[in-house]
PDB file of all heavy atoms in Angstrom:
ATOM      1  N   SER F  23     -72.012  44.186  63.440  1.00 62.00           N
ATOM      2  CA  SER F  23     -71.744  45.270  62.499  1.00 62.00           C
ATOM      3  C   SER F  23     -70.510  46.076  62.851  1.00 62.00           C
ATOM      4  O   SER F  23     -70.208  47.062  62.192  1.00 62.00           O
ATOM      5  CB  SER F  23     -72.963  46.198  62.431  1.00 62.00           C
ATOM      6  OG  SER F  23     -73.286  46.681  63.727  1.00 62.00           O
ATOM      7  N   GLY F  24     -69.778  45.656  63.880  1.00 79.00           N
ATOM      8  CA  GLY F  24     -68.592  46.407  64.270  1.00 79.00           C
ATOM      9  C   GLY F  24     -68.955  47.747  64.878  1.00 79.00           C
ATOM     10  O   GLY F  24     -70.051  47.946  65.389  1.00 79.00           O
ATOM     11  N   ARG F  25     -68.010  48.686  64.784  1.00 88.00           N
ATOM     12  CA  ARG F  25     -68.232  50.005  65.359  1.00 88.00           C
ATOM     13  C   ARG F  25     -68.100  51.051  64.259  1.00 88.00           C
ATOM     14  O   ARG F  25     -67.134  51.050  63.500  1.00 88.00           O
ATOM     15  CB  ARG F  25     -67.244  50.274  66.492  1.00 88.00           C
ATOM     16  CG  ARG F  25     -67.452  49.315  67.652  1.00 88.00           C
ATOM     17  CD  ARG F  25     -66.579  49.612  68.836  1.00 88.00           C
ATOM     18  NE  ARG F  25     -66.884  50.884  69.496  1.00 88.00           N
ATOM     19  CZ  ARG F  25     -67.929  51.103  70.288  1.00 88.00           C
ATOM     20  NH1 ARG F  25     -68.815  50.149  70.492  1.00 88.00           N
ATOM     21  NH2 ARG F  25     -68.109  52.269  70.868  1.00 88.00           N
ATOM     22  N   ASP F  26     -69.072  51.924  64.181  1.00 90.00           N
ATOM     23  CA  ASP F  26     -69.144  52.931  63.134  1.00 90.00           C
ATOM     24  C   ASP F  26     -68.296  54.138  63.537  1.00 90.00           C
ATOM     25  O   ASP F  26     -68.702  54.941  64.382  1.00 90.00           O
ATOM     26  CB  ASP F  26     -70.598  53.341  62.920  1.00 90.00           C
ATOM     27  CG  ASP F  26     -70.782  54.271  61.730  1.00 90.00           C
ATOM     28  OD1 ASP F  26     -69.763  54.766  61.194  1.00 90.00           O
ATOM     29  OD2 ASP F  26     -71.937  54.503  61.336  1.00 90.00           O
ATOM     30  N   LEU F  27     -67.125  54.270  62.940  1.00 94.00           N
ATOM     31  CA  LEU F  27     -66.180  55.328  63.303  1.00 94.00           C
ATOM     32  C   LEU F  27     -66.179  56.498  62.313  1.00 94.00           C
ATOM     33  O   LEU F  27     -65.289  57.339  62.355  1.00 94.00           O
ATOM     34  CB  LEU F  27     -64.764  54.750  63.411  1.00 94.00           C
ATOM     35  CG  LEU F  27     -64.585  53.550  64.342  1.00 94.00           C
ATOM     36  CD1 LEU F  27     -63.115  53.123  64.372  1.00 94.00           C
ATOM     37  CD2 LEU F  27     -65.080  53.851  65.747  1.00 94.00           C
ATOM     38  N   ARG F  28     -67.164  56.571  61.447  1.00 95.00           N
ATOM     39  CA  ARG F  28     -67.155  57.610  60.409  1.00 95.00           C
ATOM     40  C   ARG F  28     -67.227  59.019  60.973  1.00 95.00           C
ATOM     41  O   ARG F  28     -66.705  59.964  60.378  1.00 95.00           O
ATOM     42  CB  ARG F  28     -68.308  57.383  59.434  1.00 95.00           C
ATOM     43  CG  ARG F  28     -68.108  56.189  58.504  1.00 95.00           C
ATOM     44  CD  ARG F  28     -69.326  55.947  57.654  1.00 95.00           C
ATOM     45  NE  ARG F  28     -70.471  55.522  58.461  1.00 95.00           N
ATOM     46  CZ  ARG F  28     -71.679  55.263  57.976  1.00 95.00           C
ATOM     47  NH1 ARG F  28     -71.912  55.411  56.679  1.00 95.00           N
ATOM     48  NH2 ARG F  28     -72.657  54.857  58.772  1.00 95.00           N
ATOM     49  N   ASP F  29     -67.875  59.194  62.131  1.00 95.00           N
ATOM     50  CA  ASP F  29     -68.042  60.536  62.692  1.00 95.00           C
ATOM     51  C   ASP F  29     -66.952  60.901  63.699  1.00 95.00           C
ATOM     52  O   ASP F  29     -67.064  61.926  64.394  1.00 95.00           O
ATOM     53  CB  ASP F  29     -69.417  60.652  63.368  1.00 95.00           C
ATOM     54  CG  ASP F  29     -70.553  60.586  62.357  1.00 95.00           C
ATOM     55  OD1 ASP F  29     -70.313  60.930  61.183  1.00 95.00           O
ATOM     56  OD2 ASP F  29     -71.672  60.178  62.742  1.00 95.00           O
ATOM     57  N   VAL F  30     -65.910  60.094  63.779  1.00 96.00           N
ATOM     58  CA  VAL F  30     -64.823  60.382  64.720  1.00 96.00           C
ATOM     59  C   VAL F  30     -64.169  61.718  64.356  1.00 96.00           C
ATOM     60  O   VAL F  30     -63.781  61.945  63.206  1.00 96.00           O
ATOM     61  CB  VAL F  30     -63.774  59.246  64.696  1.00 96.00           C
ATOM     62  CG1 VAL F  30     -62.467  59.685  65.345  1.00 96.00           C
ATOM     63  CG2 VAL F  30     -64.337  58.019  65.397  1.00 96.00           C
ATOM     64  N   ARG F  31     -64.055  62.584  65.348  1.00 96.00           N
ATOM     65  CA  ARG F  31     -63.448  63.903  65.131  1.00 96.00           C
ATOM     66  C   ARG F  31     -61.970  63.935  65.503  1.00 96.00           C
ATOM     67  O   ARG F  31     -61.217  64.765  64.993  1.00 96.00           O
ATOM     68  CB  ARG F  31     -64.185  64.955  65.967  1.00 96.00           C
ATOM     69  CG  ARG F  31     -65.626  65.187  65.592  1.00 96.00           C
ATOM     70  CD  ARG F  31     -66.185  66.350  66.397  1.00 96.00           C
ATOM     71  NE  ARG F  31     -67.588  66.585  66.123  1.00 96.00           N
ATOM     72  CZ  ARG F  31     -68.287  67.573  66.657  1.00 96.00           C
ATOM     73  NH1 ARG F  31     -67.685  68.417  67.495  1.00 96.00           N
ATOM     74  NH2 ARG F  31     -69.563  67.735  66.378  1.00 96.00           N
ATOM     75  N   LEU F  32     -61.577  63.073  66.431  1.00 97.00           N
ATOM     76  CA  LEU F  32     -60.219  63.137  66.963  1.00 97.00           C
ATOM     77  C   LEU F  32     -59.672  61.719  67.129  1.00 97.00           C
ATOM     78  O   LEU F  32     -60.328  60.856  67.713  1.00 97.00           O
ATOM     79  CB  LEU F  32     -60.222  63.852  68.320  1.00 97.00           C
ATOM     80  CG  LEU F  32     -58.855  64.142  68.947  1.00 97.00           C
ATOM     81  CD1 LEU F  32     -58.106  65.181  68.113  1.00 97.00           C
ATOM     82  CD2 LEU F  32     -59.019  64.639  70.382  1.00 97.00           C
ATOM     83  N   LEU F  33     -58.474  61.499  66.608  1.00 97.00           N
ATOM     84  CA  LEU F  33     -57.732  60.256  66.809  1.00 97.00           C
ATOM     85  C   LEU F  33     -56.538  60.577  67.693  1.00 97.00           C
ATOM     86  O   LEU F  33     -55.688  61.396  67.331  1.00 97.00           O
ATOM     87  CB  LEU F  33     -57.264  59.675  65.475  1.00 97.00           C
ATOM     88  CG  LEU F  33     -56.312  58.474  65.556  1.00 97.00           C
ATOM     89  CD1 LEU F  33     -57.012  57.264  66.169  1.00 97.00           C
ATOM     90  CD2 LEU F  33     -55.767  58.128  64.166  1.00 97.00           C
ATOM     91  N   VAL F  34     -56.474  59.941  68.860  1.00 97.00           N
ATOM     92  CA  VAL F  34     -55.399  60.191  69.821  1.00 97.00           C
ATOM     93  C   VAL F  34     -54.477  58.986  69.851  1.00 97.00           C
ATOM     94  O   VAL F  34     -54.927  57.852  70.012  1.00 97.00           O
ATOM     95  CB  VAL F  34     -55.961  60.451  71.231  1.00 97.00           C
ATOM     96  CG1 VAL F  34     -54.822  60.737  72.208  1.00 97.00           C
ATOM     97  CG2 VAL F  34     -56.952  61.601  71.206  1.00 97.00           C
ATOM     98  N   GLY F  35     -53.193  59.229  69.696  1.00 96.00           N
ATOM     99  CA  GLY F  35     -52.203  58.177  69.819  1.00 96.00           C
ATOM    100  C   GLY F  35     -51.548  58.239  71.177  1.00 96.00           C
ATOM    101  O   GLY F  35     -51.277  59.327  71.714  1.00 96.00           O
ATOM    102  N   SER F  36     -51.265  57.075  71.763  1.00 93.00           N
ATOM    103  CA  SER F  36     -50.631  57.018  73.065  1.00 93.00           C
ATOM    104  C   SER F  36     -49.659  55.848  73.086  1.00 93.00           C
ATOM    105  O   SER F  36     -49.679  54.988  72.218  1.00 93.00           O
ATOM    106  CB  SER F  36     -51.695  56.847  74.165  1.00 93.00           C
ATOM    107  OG  SER F  36     -51.102  56.846  75.443  1.00 93.00           O
ATOM    108  N   GLY F  37     -48.791  55.826  74.101  1.00 89.00           N
ATOM    109  CA  GLY F  37     -47.822  54.749  74.237  1.00 89.00           C
ATOM    110  C   GLY F  37     -46.402  55.262  74.112  1.00 89.00           C
ATOM    111  O   GLY F  37     -46.136  56.274  73.452  1.00 89.00           O
ATOM    112  N   GLY F  38     -45.486  54.549  74.763  1.00 85.00           N
ATOM    113  CA  GLY F  38     -44.097  54.979  74.793  1.00 85.00           C
ATOM    114  C   GLY F  38     -43.464  55.105  73.431  1.00 85.00           C
ATOM    115  O   GLY F  38     -42.667  56.017  73.178  1.00 85.00           O
ATOM    116  N   VAL F  39     -43.821  54.206  72.503  1.00 88.00           N
ATOM    117  CA  VAL F  39     -43.193  54.259  71.177  1.00 88.00           C
ATOM    118  C   VAL F  39     -43.539  55.553  70.467  1.00 88.00           C
ATOM    119  O   VAL F  39     -42.709  56.120  69.733  1.00 88.00           O
ATOM    120  CB  VAL F  39     -43.601  53.026  70.340  1.00 88.00           C
ATOM    121  CG1 VAL F  39     -45.081  53.055  69.997  1.00 88.00           C
ATOM    122  CG2 VAL F  39     -42.762  52.937  69.074  1.00 88.00           C
ATOM    123  N   LEU F  40     -44.749  56.081  70.672  1.00 90.00           N
ATOM    124  CA  LEU F  40     -45.132  57.354  70.043  1.00 90.00           C
ATOM    125  C   LEU F  40     -44.479  58.526  70.765  1.00 90.00           C
ATOM    126  O   LEU F  40     -44.107  59.522  70.140  1.00 90.00           O
ATOM    127  CB  LEU F  40     -46.648  57.514  70.045  1.00 90.00           C
ATOM    128  CG  LEU F  40     -47.427  56.494  69.207  1.00 90.00           C
ATOM    129  CD1 LEU F  40     -48.908  56.822  69.215  1.00 90.00           C
ATOM    130  CD2 LEU F  40     -46.918  56.465  67.781  1.00 90.00           C
ATOM    131  N   ARG F  41     -44.332  58.379  72.066  1.00 83.00           N
ATOM    132  CA  ARG F  41     -43.702  59.455  72.823  1.00 83.00           C
ATOM    133  C   ARG F  41     -42.247  59.633  72.408  1.00 83.00           C
ATOM    134  O   ARG F  41     -41.752  60.758  72.276  1.00 83.00           O
ATOM    135  CB  ARG F  41     -43.799  59.149  74.314  1.00 83.00           C
ATOM    136  CG  ARG F  41     -43.212  60.233  75.193  1.00 83.00           C
ATOM    137  CD  ARG F  41     -43.330  59.882  76.664  1.00 83.00           C
ATOM    138  NE  ARG F  41     -42.912  60.972  77.518  1.00 83.00           N
ATOM    139  CZ  ARG F  41     -42.859  60.906  78.832  1.00 83.00           C
ATOM    140  NH1 ARG F  41     -43.179  59.791  79.444  1.00 83.00           N
ATOM    141  NH2 ARG F  41     -42.468  61.943  79.547  1.00 83.00           N
ATOM    142  N   TYR F  42     -41.549  58.512  72.225  1.00 79.00           N
ATOM    143  CA  TYR F  42     -40.126  58.588  71.910  1.00 79.00           C
ATOM    144  C   TYR F  42     -39.852  58.698  70.414  1.00 79.00           C
ATOM    145  O   TYR F  42     -38.731  58.982  70.020  1.00 79.00           O
ATOM    146  CB  TYR F  42     -39.409  57.358  72.478  1.00 79.00           C
ATOM    147  CG  TYR F  42     -39.390  57.324  73.985  1.00 79.00           C
ATOM    148  CD1 TYR F  42     -40.084  56.346  74.688  1.00 79.00           C
ATOM    149  CD2 TYR F  42     -38.707  58.292  74.716  1.00 79.00           C
ATOM    150  CE1 TYR F  42     -40.088  56.318  76.073  1.00 79.00           C
ATOM    151  CE2 TYR F  42     -38.701  58.279  76.095  1.00 79.00           C
ATOM    152  CZ  TYR F  42     -39.391  57.292  76.775  1.00 79.00           C
ATOM    153  OH  TYR F  42     -39.394  57.274  78.143  1.00 79.00           O
ATOM    154  N   ALA F  43     -40.858  58.492  69.592  1.00 72.00           N
ATOM    155  CA  ALA F  43     -40.642  58.487  68.144  1.00 72.00           C
ATOM    156  C   ALA F  43     -40.335  59.882  67.606  1.00 72.00           C
ATOM    157  O   ALA F  43     -39.651  60.034  66.602  1.00 72.00           O
ATOM    158  CB  ALA F  43     -41.864  57.916  67.425  1.00 72.00           C
ATOM    159  N   GLY F  44     -40.882  60.896  68.247  1.00 68.00           N
ATOM    160  CA  GLY F  44     -40.716  62.240  67.698  1.00 68.00           C
ATOM    161  C   GLY F  44     -41.887  62.591  66.797  1.00 68.00           C
ATOM    162  O   GLY F  44     -42.651  61.721  66.359  1.00 68.00           O
ATOM    163  N   GLY F  45     -42.021  63.868  66.498  1.00 69.00           N
ATOM    164  CA  GLY F  45     -43.181  64.383  65.791  1.00 69.00           C
ATOM    165  C   GLY F  45     -43.501  63.707  64.487  1.00 69.00           C
ATOM    166  O   GLY F  45     -44.611  63.217  64.272  1.00 69.00           O
ATOM    167  N   GLY F  46     -42.523  63.641  63.570  1.00 78.00           N
ATOM    168  CA  GLY F  46     -42.799  63.107  62.242  1.00 78.00           C
ATOM    169  C   GLY F  46     -43.198  61.648  62.250  1.00 78.00           C
ATOM    170  O   GLY F  46     -44.176  61.252  61.601  1.00 78.00           O
ATOM    171  N   ASP F  47     -42.460  60.817  63.008  1.00 83.00           N
ATOM    172  CA  ASP F  47     -42.769  59.392  63.057  1.00 83.00           C
ATOM    173  C   ASP F  47     -44.107  59.146  63.740  1.00 83.00           C
ATOM    174  O   ASP F  47     -44.877  58.268  63.332  1.00 83.00           O
ATOM    175  CB  ASP F  47     -41.665  58.628  63.787  1.00 83.00           C
ATOM    176  CG  ASP F  47     -40.409  58.476  62.936  1.00 83.00           C
ATOM    177  OD1 ASP F  47     -40.518  58.618  61.702  1.00 83.00           O
ATOM    178  OD2 ASP F  47     -39.334  58.230  63.508  1.00 83.00           O
ATOM    179  N   ALA F  48     -44.411  59.878  64.804  1.00 86.00           N
ATOM    180  CA  ALA F  48     -45.681  59.708  65.505  1.00 86.00           C
ATOM    181  C   ALA F  48     -46.853  60.075  64.608  1.00 86.00           C
ATOM    182  O   ALA F  48     -47.876  59.381  64.577  1.00 86.00           O
ATOM    183  CB  ALA F  48     -45.701  60.566  66.776  1.00 86.00           C
ATOM    184  N   VAL F  49     -46.700  61.155  63.850  1.00 86.00           N
ATOM    185  CA  VAL F  49     -47.749  61.557  62.907  1.00 86.00           C
ATOM    186  C   VAL F  49     -47.946  60.486  61.840  1.00 86.00           C
ATOM    187  O   VAL F  49     -49.071  60.173  61.437  1.00 86.00           O
ATOM    188  CB  VAL F  49     -47.394  62.910  62.259  1.00 86.00           C
ATOM    189  CG1 VAL F  49     -48.326  63.207  61.085  1.00 86.00           C
ATOM    190  CG2 VAL F  49     -47.481  64.026  63.290  1.00 86.00           C
ATOM    191  N   ALA F  50     -46.839  59.862  61.397  1.00 90.00           N
ATOM    192  CA  ALA F  50     -46.934  58.826  60.382  1.00 90.00           C
ATOM    193  C   ALA F  50     -47.689  57.605  60.893  1.00 90.00           C
ATOM    194  O   ALA F  50     -48.451  56.970  60.148  1.00 90.00           O
ATOM    195  CB  ALA F  50     -45.536  58.413  59.917  1.00 90.00           C
ATOM    196  N   VAL F  51     -47.489  57.259  62.179  1.00 94.00           N
ATOM    197  CA  VAL F  51     -48.211  56.123  62.761  1.00 94.00           C
ATOM    198  C   VAL F  51     -49.714  56.365  62.708  1.00 94.00           C
ATOM    199  O   VAL F  51     -50.490  55.510  62.274  1.00 94.00           O
ATOM    200  CB  VAL F  51     -47.753  55.883  64.213  1.00 94.00           C
ATOM    201  CG1 VAL F  51     -48.675  54.882  64.906  1.00 94.00           C
ATOM    202  CG2 VAL F  51     -46.315  55.382  64.244  1.00 94.00           C
ATOM    203  N   LEU F  52     -50.163  57.534  63.139  1.00 95.00           N
ATOM    204  CA  LEU F  52     -51.589  57.840  63.130  1.00 95.00           C
ATOM    205  C   LEU F  52     -52.099  58.052  61.711  1.00 95.00           C
ATOM    206  O   LEU F  52     -53.250  57.722  61.397  1.00 95.00           O
ATOM    207  CB  LEU F  52     -51.854  59.072  63.990  1.00 95.00           C
ATOM    208  CG  LEU F  52     -51.461  58.925  65.466  1.00 95.00           C
ATOM    209  CD1 LEU F  52     -51.766  60.207  66.228  1.00 95.00           C
ATOM    210  CD2 LEU F  52     -52.168  57.749  66.110  1.00 95.00           C
ATOM    211  N   GLY F  53     -51.233  58.578  60.829  1.00 96.00           N
ATOM    212  CA  GLY F  53     -51.625  58.738  59.438  1.00 96.00           C
ATOM    213  C   GLY F  53     -51.907  57.408  58.772  1.00 96.00           C
ATOM    214  O   GLY F  53     -52.779  57.303  57.888  1.00 96.00           O
ATOM    215  N   ALA F  54     -51.173  56.367  59.177  1.00 96.00           N
ATOM    216  CA  ALA F  54     -51.420  55.044  58.609  1.00 96.00           C
ATOM    217  C   ALA F  54     -52.826  54.560  58.942  1.00 96.00           C
ATOM    218  O   ALA F  54     -53.487  53.915  58.114  1.00 96.00           O
ATOM    219  CB  ALA F  54     -50.378  54.049  59.134  1.00 96.00           C
ATOM    220  N   VAL F  55     -53.295  54.866  60.149  1.00 97.00           N
ATOM    221  CA  VAL F  55     -54.647  54.472  60.544  1.00 97.00           C
ATOM    222  C   VAL F  55     -55.683  55.232  59.728  1.00 97.00           C
ATOM    223  O   VAL F  55     -56.621  54.648  59.169  1.00 97.00           O
ATOM    224  CB  VAL F  55     -54.863  54.709  62.045  1.00 97.00           C
ATOM    225  CG1 VAL F  55     -56.314  54.441  62.426  1.00 97.00           C
ATOM    226  CG2 VAL F  55     -53.922  53.833  62.874  1.00 97.00           C
ATOM    227  N   LEU F  56     -55.518  56.548  59.632  1.00 97.00           N
ATOM    228  CA  LEU F  56     -56.507  57.367  58.927  1.00 97.00           C
ATOM    229  C   LEU F  56     -56.461  57.184  57.419  1.00 97.00           C
ATOM    230  O   LEU F  56     -57.384  57.579  56.712  1.00 97.00           O
ATOM    231  CB  LEU F  56     -56.296  58.844  59.275  1.00 97.00           C
ATOM    232  CG  LEU F  56     -56.582  59.225  60.731  1.00 97.00           C
ATOM    233  CD1 LEU F  56     -56.269  60.686  60.977  1.00 97.00           C
ATOM    234  CD2 LEU F  56     -58.040  58.930  61.091  1.00 97.00           C
ATOM    235  N   GLY F  57     -55.385  56.579  56.917  1.00 96.00           N
ATOM    236  CA  GLY F  57     -55.274  56.326  55.484  1.00 96.00           C
ATOM    237  C   GLY F  57     -55.502  54.877  55.105  1.00 96.00           C
ATOM    238  O   GLY F  57     -55.132  54.452  54.002  1.00 96.00           O
ATOM    239  N   ASP F  58     -56.112  54.104  55.989  1.00 97.00           N
ATOM    240  CA  ASP F  58     -56.279  52.657  55.776  1.00 97.00           C
ATOM    241  C   ASP F  58     -57.491  52.357  54.897  1.00 97.00           C
ATOM    242  O   ASP F  58     -58.495  51.791  55.337  1.00 97.00           O
ATOM    243  CB  ASP F  58     -56.404  51.963  57.136  1.00 97.00           C
ATOM    244  CG  ASP F  58     -56.486  50.455  57.010  1.00 97.00           C
ATOM    245  OD1 ASP F  58     -55.931  49.903  56.035  1.00 97.00           O
ATOM    246  OD2 ASP F  58     -57.112  49.819  57.883  1.00 97.00           O
ATOM    247  N   HIS F  59     -57.401  52.711  53.633  1.00 95.00           N
ATOM    248  CA  HIS F  59     -58.556  52.579  52.730  1.00 95.00           C
ATOM    249  C   HIS F  59     -58.860  51.139  52.341  1.00 95.00           C
ATOM    250  O   HIS F  59     -59.941  50.850  51.831  1.00 95.00           O
ATOM    251  CB  HIS F  59     -58.311  53.403  51.463  1.00 95.00           C
ATOM    252  CG  HIS F  59     -58.211  54.875  51.720  1.00 95.00           C
ATOM    253  ND1 HIS F  59     -59.309  55.664  51.977  1.00 95.00           N
ATOM    254  CD2 HIS F  59     -57.131  55.703  51.786  1.00 95.00           C
ATOM    255  CE1 HIS F  59     -58.927  56.918  52.182  1.00 95.00           C
ATOM    256  NE2 HIS F  59     -57.608  56.970  52.071  1.00 95.00           N
ATOM    257  N   ALA F  60     -57.934  50.216  52.581  1.00 93.00           N
ATOM    258  CA  ALA F  60     -58.166  48.811  52.219  1.00 93.00           C
ATOM    259  C   ALA F  60     -58.506  47.968  53.439  1.00 93.00           C
ATOM    260  O   ALA F  60     -58.440  46.736  53.388  1.00 93.00           O
ATOM    261  CB  ALA F  60     -56.922  48.243  51.533  1.00 93.00           C
ATOM    262  N   GLY F  61     -58.883  48.597  54.530  1.00 94.00           N
ATOM    263  CA  GLY F  61     -59.066  47.868  55.778  1.00 94.00           C
ATOM    264  C   GLY F  61     -60.415  47.227  55.978  1.00 94.00           C
ATOM    265  O   GLY F  61     -60.621  46.517  56.957  1.00 94.00           O
ATOM    266  N   GLY F  62     -61.365  47.501  55.099  1.00 92.00           N
ATOM    267  CA  GLY F  62     -62.677  46.897  55.262  1.00 92.00           C
ATOM    268  C   GLY F  62     -63.544  47.589  56.304  1.00 92.00           C
ATOM    269  O   GLY F  62     -64.500  47.013  56.818  1.00 92.00           O
TER     270      GLY F  62
END
């Protein structure tokens, strides 16, 4: 059944690409995850 992530309160991004991307780009990376309505 996979993992039930509906009650997740906090999404943390890590990794050099997010560190060097800057605020707007890093937010967009995590926004893509939280906006993945077609992901099943």
Side-chain angles (χ1 to χ4, degrees):
S23 56
R25 296 185 66 75
D26 187 349
L27 306 182
R28 288 175 294 179
D29 293 335
V30 164
R31 295 186 183 183
L32 187 68
L33 172 65
V34 181
S36 182
V39 67
L40 295 184
R41 182 180 187 183
Y42 293 114
D47 285 340
V49 169
V51 169
L52 299 180
V55 174
L56 293 177
D58 184 29
H59 296 284

